[in-house]
């Protein structure tokens, strides 16, 4: 297939790009810094529409671009997080209106942050959104992606949890303190974490592109969410290190400000849509996923 990707140089995008190329797909990459590389096109998602040549003839568009959430939030950072997702997606959909033929499918990133802080409530794609900055951003982001449905394009919205992989993402931030033996649960550790192995995430995206029965929101998480306390215990055991240093919530707030809510809010998310449509996870249990990654 001919595919156009955004966010292809990030942690997840790099893994996805490598796999798609291995599978023989023809890729065109939208990037802020194409550096003259073949198949790369310059695009600032906030500034306007991508070049028509980057989309012409594409069978699928995979849209992962967005300002990183894992940074201390200021009003300017929050505006950039929202704009890079909502305005960037709107500009992409506007560019699709001029194409003939149009792509068959738009696979657009979203996040489990859609659900907000929900305690131990089991959440599926049918659950209502939460309240707050991230839920509101995700709702607007997904609604903007859905505008492509009026163009006859199948739209899939990837509500992604914590993606675990080598060399980047959440795990890369967790490993240094745990390897030094100073890791521990965050804010008591009772919050639920919804996670996925990076290779299962890559497989889910490919599955969403090729399976015409997949549409709407898809929770991109393992069927086995886990509390932060249990996650800490399993990670420490995998590294043969203790985990005796809990991090209190006030310390996270001092360090990260409002963004600390991402680390302390509880989301017990189940990938019901993927399970109902027969997707098979290769690394559904945290122990085996970390054993592979470590």
């Amino acid at each position: 297939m001919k595919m156009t990707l955004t966010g292809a140089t990030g942690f997840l995008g790099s893994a996805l790009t490598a796999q798609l190329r291995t599978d023989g797909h023809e890729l065109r990459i939208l990037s802020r810094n194409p550096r003259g590389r073949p198949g790369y096109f310059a695009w600032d998602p906030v500034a306007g529409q991508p070049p028509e040549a980057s989309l012409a003839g594409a069978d699928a568009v995979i849209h992962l671009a967005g300002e990183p959430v894992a940074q201390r939030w200021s009003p300017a950072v929050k505006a950039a997080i929202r704009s890079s997702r909502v305005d960037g997606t709107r500009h992409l959909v506007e560019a699709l209106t001029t194409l003939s033929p149009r792509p068959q499918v738009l696979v657009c990133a979203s996040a489990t942050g859609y659900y907000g802080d929900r305690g131990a409530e089991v959440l599926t794609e049918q659950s209502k959104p939460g309240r707050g900055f991230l839920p509101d951003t995700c709702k607007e982001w997904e609604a903007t992606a859905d505008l492509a449905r009026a163009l006859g394009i199948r739209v899939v919205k990837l509500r992604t949890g914590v993606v675990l992989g080598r060399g980047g993402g959440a795990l890369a931030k967790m490993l240094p303190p745990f390897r030094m033996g100073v890791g521990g649960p965050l804010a008591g550790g009772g919050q639920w974490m919804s996670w996925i192995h990076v290779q299962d995430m890559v497989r889910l995206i490919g599955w969403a592109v090729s399976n015409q029965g997949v549409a709407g929101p898809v929770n991109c998480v393992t069927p086995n969410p886990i509390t932060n306390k249990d996650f800490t215990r399993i990670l420490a055991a995998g590294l043969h290190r203790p985990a005796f240093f809990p991090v209190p919530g006030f310390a996270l707030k001092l360090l990260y400000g409002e963004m600390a809510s991402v680390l302390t809010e509880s989301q017990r998310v189940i990938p019901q849509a993927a399970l109902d449509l027969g997707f098979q996870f290769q690394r559904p249990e945290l122990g085996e996923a970390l054993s592979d990654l470590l």
Side-chain angles (χ1 to χ4, degrees):
M1 295 177 70
K2 295 181 180 179
M3 301 186 188
T4 300
L5 277 70
T6 78
T9 57
F11 163 62
L12 174 58
S14 296
L16 176 64
T17 299
Q19 186 61 56
L20 292 175
R21 284 180 171 148
T22 297
D23 293 341
H25 298 292
E26 180 184 328
L27 304 183
R28 284 173 286 186
I29 309 297
L30 287 165
S31 172
R32 289 178 183 271
N33 299 300
R35 301 174 186 172
R37 289 174 289 183
Y40 282 69
F41 296 81
W43 183 47
D44 179 348
V46 176
Q49 298 179 19
E52 183 177 347
S54 68
L55 296 166
D59 300 303
V61 176
I62 302 173
H63 180 39
L64 305 179
E67 176 75 14
V69 171
Q71 57 179 310
R72 191 177 182 89
W73 293 351
S74 65
V77 167
K78 290 173 71 173
I81 289 171
R82 180 205 164 274
S83 181
S84 66
R85 287 159 172 77
V86 178
D87 295 336
T89 302
R90 186 182 73 252
H91 290 148
L92 179 60
V93 172
E94 288 172 351
L96 297 177
T97 64
T98 66
L99 298 181
S100 181
R102 292 171 179 148
Q104 301 165 19
V105 58
L106 167 64
V107 176
C108 184
S110 182
T112 55
Y114 175 94
Y115 300 109
D117 189 5
R118 305 291 277 270
E121 179 185 356
V122 176
L123 303 167
T124 71
E125 289 85 354
Q126 302 306 312
S127 299
K128 294 181 179 180
R131 296 180 179 178
F133 170 64
L134 284 184
D136 290 347
T137 298
C138 288
K139 285 187 291 183
E140 197 173 0
W141 191 7
E142 292 189 7
T144 306
D146 275 334
L147 296 175
R149 295 169 57 192
L151 305 176
I153 298 171
R154 177 168 58 92
V155 176
V156 182
K157 297 164 289 187
L158 307 172
R159 292 179 184 166
T160 306
V162 178
V163 181
L164 301 178
R166 299 184 188 93
L171 191 60
K173 294 179 174 65
M174 297 175 194
L175 286 179
F178 276 86
R179 282 181 167 146
M180 291 187 291
V182 294
L186 304 179
Q191 67 273 31
W192 286 86
M193 297 176 61
S194 298
W195 62 276
I196 188 169
H197 189 293
V198 65
Q199 287 305 319
D200 273 336
M201 184 68 212
V202 167
R203 292 177 57 248
L204 255 176
I205 295 174
W207 172 80
V209 168
S210 61
N211 189 331
Q212 294 185 5
V214 181
V218 175
N219 289 336
C220 298
V221 294
T222 176
N224 300 297
I226 194 167
T227 64
N228 177 259
K229 184 180 293 185
D230 286 337
F231 185 101
T232 297
R233 174 180 54 80
I234 294 170
L235 177 57
L239 293 169
H240 306 290
R241 295 288 191 276
F244 298 142
F245 293 89
V247 183
F250 75 86
L252 292 171
K253 184 74 171 179
L254 286 173
L255 184 61
Y256 295 114
E258 187 182 355
M259 198 282 290
S261 63
V262 176
L263 304 174
T264 59
E265 290 184 349
S266 182
Q267 294 157 357
R268 190 178 183 179
V269 182
I270 302 298
Q272 198 62 56
L275 294 174
D276 288 347
L277 290 169
F279 182 82
Q280 298 291 319
F281 290 83
Q282 292 183 343
R283 306 283 182 180
E285 300 288 348
L286 182 63
E288 63 177 328
L290 290 177
S291 177
D292 173 67
L293 295 172
L294 298 177

